[in-house]
Amino acid sequence: MKINPNINIIDVIKTPKTLILWLFLWVLPFHSFSQSEEKTASYFVALYTLGENWDTEKQPHEQEYFKEHSSFLAQLRKEKKISLGARYSDTGMLIILGKDLQEVTGMLHKDLAIQHKLFKLEIHPFTPFYKGCIE
């Protein structure tokens, strides 16, 4: 097959069929790539229990790094990373949004209260099977 060097690309895509074909061939790879890179956020449950450096003689607001912990959680709420927070028994629980377990683990380990063992932290994938609402 001989290629005619006098043919301009604009002349080739003037017809609707060829224009659509060219658009399809140029846009599809970018569309596929962008979708494979996107991952929707998943839920994770973070469980906080008392760490080895918790002083049982002090109230929570008197604990070292507790104020920083509260500020850290407030920032996560502001960024809409926390969907829900609660306490049950001696455990604090957060429902966190994140891309994956590694991202959520890295995010929560920035908390000074975790770094200084005021709290112990467990993180697990959380898959709701029933949508509800807490107000």
Side-chain angles (χ1 to χ4, degrees), residues 86-99:
R87 283 191 197 95
Y88 65 95
S89 187
D90 290 336
T91 302
M93 179 186 82
L94 298 175
I95 305 298
I96 303 285
L97 279 170
K99 183 179 71 173

Side-chain angles (χ1 to χ4, degrees), residues 2 18 31 34 43 53-54 56 59 71 76 85-86 94 106 131:
K2 271 185 143 180
T18 55
H31 180 70
S34 67
Y43 289 106
N53 289 331
W54 184 272
T56 57
Q59 293 294 314
S71 295
L76 291 181
L94 298 175
K131 286 193 175 187

